[in-house]
Amino acid sequence: VDQAQKIQLEIVDITGRNVFSETFNVTGGYHTLNWNGFNNAGEIANSGIYFAKISGDVFSHSQKITYIK
């Protein structure tokens, strides 16, 4: 990211249901975000195909991911 901002990480399943979301305050520069496999209720997510969406003030990126327990 070019400057300090809030970054939103969302994990959704193939039906579009939100499984996990978290907001991070980051400074400018290169960053890595990791999902630990837990859902919003604190339970481990099922194995399957998910979509990870990362968005900030001026960008948004989505990627299909496979989660295997």
Side-chain angles (χ1 to χ4, degrees):
V1 291
D2 294 337
Q3 60 189 4
Q5 59 184 292
K6 288 184 179 181
I7 302 295
Q8 176 79 26
L9 170 63
E10 295 177 273
I11 306 292
V12 297
D13 64 16
I14 59 173
T15 66
R17 184 177 60 94
N18 183 291
V19 174
F20 175 82
S21 61
E22 189 169 351
T23 301
F24 302 88
N25 290 312
V26 298
T27 59
Y30 179 82
H31 300 277
T32 301
L33 299 177
N34 295 307
W35 174 47
N36 62 7
F38 287 88
N39 63 22
N40 287 324
E43 305 163 335
I44 192 133
N46 293 323
S47 296
I49 296 173
Y50 294 89
F51 293 91
K53 179 181 178 183
I54 301 170
S55 55
D57 292 341
V58 294
F59 74 93
S60 179
H61 177 76
S62 296
Q63 183 168 339
K64 183 169 78 170
I65 59 174
T66 302
Y67 175 68
I68 301 172
K69 289 186 205 183

